[in-house]
Amino acid sequence: RLLALLETGNVSVRAAAARSLGRFRASNQQAERTAQILAALQKALRDPSLLVVAEATESLGAIGAPQAPVILAELLRHPSEGVRQAAARALEGIADERVLGEIWQALGDQSAAVRFHVVGALGRIGSQGTEERRAEVVARLQTLLLQDGDPGVRSRAASLLGELGTAADLNFLWHRCQTTEDERVKVKAWSAMIEILVRSGNPDLVIQWDQLLANHRETARRIEMLTEIRSRW
């Protein structure tokens, strides 16, 4: 019934059908049904209504079929900002190495909302890739943190540096905490530092940064850092 409504309903009904199809979870015995739904959603990407296209885009990401990342990456070049944003948001959960080229390009999107989700997709690729790929992603996140014009995007980049970065990135993040910057970005950069210190499992490294904070009279941050590390360790 949903497949029929996706083609014959009015705009609101077609959009609802596209959204509902994204909730379908097939068993191994229903591969044919999954293929049918994927084909219908791909067809819906050519719907005259951008609302239907955006819902179909989200559903493609929700189903998580192997070919979905490639399909969604192509939509990062769609003329509609809403569709590009839906594609980027969907890619956050399923992006892989195959779409890295499209992700690099989409980091220059005019829309900050699109870039915000593209950064999330980039972080997923970095977390699942090789050490070399992770280092490449970290370098790009640092560039975004320095150059992107939107504080929300810079904050997202800082958060992901906490997940992907190493002790070698602590000085960079500390500099972002000290420079003239949006307060949201500073908070995320500081949280990223704590996350890296926690993951390091290195008491000597913690002592080193504790001393640095003491020298800068950063009492509140010292307490926050040591409390969090004590709790997490």
Side-chain angles (χ1 to χ4, degrees):
R1 182 66 175 155
L2 287 171
L3 289 169
L5 290 172
L6 187 57
E7 293 191 355
T8 60
N10 60 34
V11 170
S12 297
V13 171
R14 295 200 309 277
R19 182 168 59 251
S20 295
L21 285 169
R23 301 170 184 166
F24 181 78
R25 293 293 179 269
S27 65
N28 292 334
Q29 291 74 33
Q30 295 176 299
E32 183 177 346
R33 175 64 75 186
T34 302
Q36 190 178 10
I37 291 175
L38 283 172
L41 289 173
Q42 282 187 265
K43 184 178 179 181
L45 295 177
R46 300 188 294 274
D47 194 281
S49 168
L50 291 177
L51 176 61
V52 177
V53 174
E55 293 290 359
T57 300
E58 295 271 12
S59 289
L60 281 167
I63 290 176
Q67 61 270 47
V70 176
I71 298 170
L72 292 170
E74 294 176 357
L75 294 173
L76 292 175
R77 297 190 293 269
H78 196 279
S80 166
E81 177 183 336
V83 173
R84 297 198 308 278
Q85 186 174 343
R89 184 164 53 242
L91 280 167
E92 282 197 56
I94 62 173
D96 57 36
E97 290 271 352
R98 293 175 296 170
V99 301
L100 187 57
E102 288 84 354
I103 294 294
W104 290 139
Q105 185 174 0
L107 289 172
D109 196 284
Q110 294 181 350
S111 167
V114 174
R115 297 197 307 277
F116 180 88
H117 295 295
V118 170
V119 170
L122 179 63
R124 173 182 167 82
I125 294 174
S127 67
Q128 296 187 334
T130 63
E131 288 300 319
E132 182 179 357
R133 179 65 73 201
R134 181 186 293 247
E136 183 181 11
V137 169
V138 165
R140 192 58 179 265
L141 290 172
Q142 289 185 356
T143 300
L144 287 169
L145 189 50
L146 290 172
Q147 298 180 357
D148 196 278
D150 182 78
V153 176
R154 297 198 302 276
S155 296
R156 189 75 187 277
S159 293
L160 287 169
L161 280 172
E163 298 176 18
L164 301 176
T166 65
D169 301 301
L170 288 171
N171 284 324
F172 173 84
L173 288 166
W174 176 244
H175 180 70
R176 300 317 300 165
C177 293
Q178 298 298 301
T179 192
T180 302
E181 176 58 280
D182 187 281
E183 193 60 32
R184 291 170 292 173
V185 181
K186 289 184 177 182
V187 169
K188 293 296 184 181
W190 170 242
S191 296
M193 289 184 65
I194 294 178
E195 183 64 30
I196 291 173
L197 288 167
V198 168
R199 285 193 291 105
S200 74
N202 186 342
D204 292 336
L205 183 63
V206 173
I207 292 171
Q208 174 187 333
W209 279 95
D210 180 53
Q211 186 60 55
L212 183 145
L213 292 172
N215 293 339
H216 282 78
R217 298 182 180 179
E218 293 275 5
T219 305
R221 279 177 167 157
R222 285 184 71 195
I223 294 172
E224 181 183 359
M225 179 188 75
L226 295 172
T227 302
E228 180 66 16
I229 291 174
R230 178 183 182 276
S231 173
R232 297 275 293 275
W233 283 2

